Amino acid sequence: MVILGIDPGLAIVGFGAVEYVAPRFRVLGFGAIRTEAHTPVGDRLQIIHESMRTLIDKYHPDDMAIEELFFDKNITTGITVAEARGVILLSAKEKNVNIFEYTPMQVKQSVVGYGGAEKKQVIVMVRSILSLGETLKLDDTADALAIAICHAHTGGSPLKKYFNIK
């Protein structure tokens, strides 16, 4: 199964593509889609949409796993991230890719074993699980790969089909 993990954002969309054949992972690619701060929002969303379609064409994922939104203090930032997330979901739907959503706590629990883990712990575990060493530096990319790992460990389970989990 090929999984495309996505950490949504307007300025930076982290992505990570992995192939998972239990219990092994093979990293197909990872990185970030970046948009410039002073570019109109509509243009930034178009860049994300086109870039996502290109990524889907490149990796041919069976599933896309994306982080659910978590609003902390800045609602304005949350709204623009929600807009970007909507474009990302649309891109997957247009390409007939299955979409699965996970909360930050679910991702941390799956990857680190503790839902309250810190970013550094997530990065260390992602590097270890995927044998990436120091090549993984960007938080958004590490989060995207963590989301893909989470999906492989939970959404990718054969029990998903048995219990009809979506």
Side-chain angles (χ1 to χ4, degrees):
M1 163 178 24
V2 175
I3 304 164
L4 180 60
I6 300 292
D7 182 32
L10 184 64
I12 301 173
V13 176
F15 70 87
V18 298
E19 180 179 47
Y20 181 67
V21 180
R24 302 200 190 283
F25 288 94
R26 183 170 69 97
V27 177
L28 303 176
F30 57 89
I33 300 166
R34 296 175 186 267
T35 65
E36 295 297 321
H38 299 290
T39 305
V41 172
D43 293 343
R44 294 172 89 177
L45 294 174
Q46 183 177 13
I47 291 166
I48 292 168
H49 181 252
E50 291 169 358
S51 298
M52 283 300 305
R53 291 176 58 86
T54 299
L55 288 173
I56 292 167
D57 287 343
K58 179 177 182 177
Y59 295 113
H60 304 287
D62 299 296
D63 296 344
M64 182 179 81
I66 187 168
E67 189 171 81
E68 287 185 2
L69 284 185
F70 173 74
F71 289 98
D72 194 12
K73 294 181 174 118
N74 190 342
I75 191 80
T76 304
T77 302
I79 290 170
T80 59
V81 172
E83 291 171 339
R85 192 173 178 280
V87 166
I88 292 165
L89 295 173
L90 174 63
S91 301
K93 264 320 216 189
E94 287 175 337
K95 296 285 189 174
N96 297 312
V97 176
N98 300 313
I99 300 167
F100 297 86
E101 301 173 53
Y102 299 94
T103 66
M105 185 178 278
Q106 286 174 308
V107 174
K108 292 173 184 177
Q109 179 69 40
S110 176
V111 174
V112 179
Y114 170 58
E118 295 181 20
K119 287 242 184 231
K120 281 179 143 181
Q121 293 171 298
V122 173
I123 292 170
V124 166
M125 287 305 297
V126 167
R127 284 178 178 164
S128 176
I129 292 167
L130 300 177
S131 303
L132 289 175
E134 296 298 315
T135 60
L136 183 62
K137 297 187 186 320
L138 187 63
D139 285 357
D140 303 278
T141 303
D143 288 348
L145 288 166
I147 294 161
I149 292 167
C150 174
H151 180 63
H153 287 163
T154 56
S157 167
L159 291 175
K160 169 181 84 172
K161 293 179 180 112
Y162 181 75
F163 289 108
N164 198 24
I165 299 170
K166 297 201 184 226

